[in-house]
Amino acid sequence: MDDLRRSAIGLLERAKAGDKDAFGLLAEGHRDALLRLCFKMTGSHETAEDLVQETLLKAYLHIAEFELRASLQTWLYRIATNACLDHQRARKPWDTERRFDWFRENGELVHQMEQTLFLSPERAAEVKEVAATCINCISMSLPEKQRAAIVLCDQIGLSREEAAKSIGASVASVKTELHRARKKMADVFEHHCQLVDPKNDCNGCTMSGNIKRNGVKSTEPPAPRLAATNARKSDLRTARQRIAARTPGIACAQAEALLSDLIDDQLAADARSGVETHIASCDRCRERLRALRRSVRFVQANSASDLRPRTPGGAYQTIARAMSDDTYGQSPTQTMLRELSRIDPTLLPRR
């Protein structure tokens, strides 16, 4: 480990002195991570490639100014994040409601597309790929600061302090934007995702998860969420009322603002105790905590998939982009068919 560290420092010193080859070796070790970040921030592989090139060029021109107060990766993330934010600033967020409306209104065409992408044995997408696409689409619908916070913290895995350095913002600002982003993402999952509630309208993950080895979709319906018995609910409600009666506690608005800190174990002991006491006596805040925790775990567990073009997951991502990003200037049906034909003409649904 010491030898590797000395080698990295030696490369960095040579790069700072103007050695192009040394900088090239350093950059190559970070290229994939930068590409992943830029893709999650922009929703486009082509744009991500361009922004990584822009990031590395800017880093090369300013490498002499780099100081060892932060890691090289954090410094590169900051350049890349700013490049992505600048690029996206003039663009509208993706409209996920538009996509869900189109799904509802074009059921047969959607069914044919899903059969082609999910059920074909040679190109069947996996649940993790569909889930990664879903997460990317929702994050692309968020305002830019919220998107940066959730991409860096929950999708890339940086700490709040590292994310703050990458964005060039305060830790308090990252904390606020991360919580807002998580709330919006949880709201989409709660109202659209069939993994959360079988009555919801989006079934991409459940469909791809029901693929059998022979390419035939299982007819078994998704399992509903477990519910406590009425007697158990009554016992819990009584216990909560007793707790509430003897504990002043905090208001719902105060508790809700601290839910992300509770999930990330960022609360001091007294604040944590106050939030947990309130949640124990408040059905509404307890359900919000469950929804937020469920969403955070889902995002963190399904953000690692590499959705490359011309792969099943990449094809699904490209189509989702075509239906969510209104810069195409065409109807969702036209853009979906066009994107399918660009990926592979054999993917076109039967008419």
Side-chain angles (χ1 to χ4, degrees):
M1 183 63 71
D2 289 341
D3 289 342
L4 288 173
R5 180 175 174 79
R6 280 194 293 270
S7 176
I9 292 175
L11 278 176
L12 183 56
E13 289 174 346
R14 286 166 50 198
K16 285 169 67 70
D19 188 327
K20 292 182 180 180
D21 292 336
F23 179 83
L25 289 171
L26 285 173
E28 199 57 38
H30 294 279
R31 181 181 291 276
D32 286 347
L34 291 172
L35 185 60
R36 186 167 167 243
L37 168 63
C38 292
F39 170 66
K40 291 183 183 301
M41 287 288 291
T42 64
S44 165
H45 283 283
E46 298 85 355
T47 302
E49 291 278 5
D50 292 341
L51 290 173
V52 169
Q53 290 298 108
E54 179 183 326
T55 296
L56 294 178
L57 175 59
K58 189 172 292 187
Y60 174 70
L61 294 175
H62 295 275
I63 187 66
E65 303 167 18
F66 172 68
E67 299 177 1
L68 294 175
R69 288 179 294 183
S71 70
L72 180 63
Q73 177 172 280
T74 300
W75 185 65
L76 291 172
Y77 272 175
R78 180 165 186 174
I79 298 173
T81 301
N82 286 330
C84 291
L85 291 175
D86 289 342
H87 178 270
Q88 293 295 109
R89 208 154 270 143
R91 296 171 176 266
K92 293 181 180 179
W94 287 11
D95 189 344
T96 53
E97 287 298 331
R98 178 172 179 253
R99 178 181 168 212
F100 289 125
D101 287 343
W102 187 85
F103 276 11
R104 285 188 286 267
E105 294 165 4
N106 297 271
E108 180 57 30
L109 188 57
V110 171
H111 179 66
Q112 292 176 18
M113 178 190 73
E114 289 175 334
Q115 279 189 317
T116 304
L117 287 175
F118 299 158
L119 303 184
S120 173
E122 66 272 12
R123 58 167 72 92
E126 296 184 26
V127 176
K128 62 182 181 181
E129 294 174 327
V130 179
T133 296
C134 175
I135 292 165
N136 274 14
C137 285
I138 301 173
S139 65
M140 285 298 298
S141 73
L142 300 172
E144 58 185 38
K145 291 182 180 179
Q146 293 179 24
R147 186 189 318 149
I150 204 163
V151 166
L152 290 167
C153 293
D154 285 351
Q155 294 185 258
I156 301 296
L158 300 187
S159 68
R160 295 179 182 188
E161 290 75 16
E162 291 170 327
K165 291 176 183 177
S166 297
I167 299 172
S170 67
V171 176
S173 173
V174 169
K175 166 188 165 180
T176 299
E177 299 300 340
L178 177 62
H179 182 59
R180 289 173 178 170
R182 285 174 169 179
K183 282 174 61 180
K184 291 185 179 180
M185 187 161 287
D187 186 61
V188 175
F189 284 132
E190 293 298 304
H191 292 94
H192 291 290
C193 180
Q194 284 193 6
L195 292 177
V196 174
D197 188 341
K199 295 179 182 177
N200 284 337
D201 52 9
C202 186
N203 69 343
C205 288
T206 57
M207 174 169 280
S208 63
N210 285 331
I211 298 171
K212 293 184 177 179
R213 291 188 181 277
N214 60 2
V216 178
K217 178 181 178 295
S218 169
T219 57
E220 297 176 5
R225 288 185 294 179
L226 296 177
T229 63
N230 289 335
R232 176 63 175 160
K233 285 183 178 179
S234 177
D235 291 342
L236 288 172
R237 193 175 297 113
T238 301
R240 290 169 198 143
Q241 289 170 351
R242 287 173 181 164
I243 293 172
R246 65 174 183 265
T247 309
I250 60 177
C252 287
Q254 293 174 292
E256 185 178 346
L258 297 172
L259 292 182
S260 277
D261 288 341
L262 180 65
I263 290 171
D264 293 341
D265 197 20
Q266 295 284 317
L267 290 177
D270 55 345
R272 183 183 186 91
S273 175
V275 174
E276 289 178 339
T277 299
H278 175 85
I279 289 170
S281 62
C282 179
D283 290 341
R284 178 178 170 224
C285 288
R286 187 169 48 262
E287 184 51 42
R288 287 187 174 180
L289 175 61
R290 284 199 195 103
L292 199 65
R293 182 171 278 145
R294 186 161 50 225
S295 175
V296 171
R297 286 174 177 169
F298 187 76
V299 171
Q300 292 176 346
N302 292 285
S303 292
S305 293
D306 196 10
L307 303 175
R308 295 283 182 177
R310 296 191 178 276
T311 66
Y316 189 60
Q317 167 69 22
T318 303
I319 293 165
R321 175 190 172 205
M323 289 188 290
S324 302
D325 186 350
D326 64 3
T327 60
Y328 285 83
Q330 293 180 310
S331 72
T333 303
Q334 289 175 307
T335 52
M336 190 200 82
L337 294 175
R338 187 192 69 190
E339 292 301 324
L340 280 173
S341 66
R342 284 177 57 185
I343 296 163
D344 182 348
T346 63
L347 290 175
L348 287 172
R350 300 181 305 276
R351 300 296 292 178

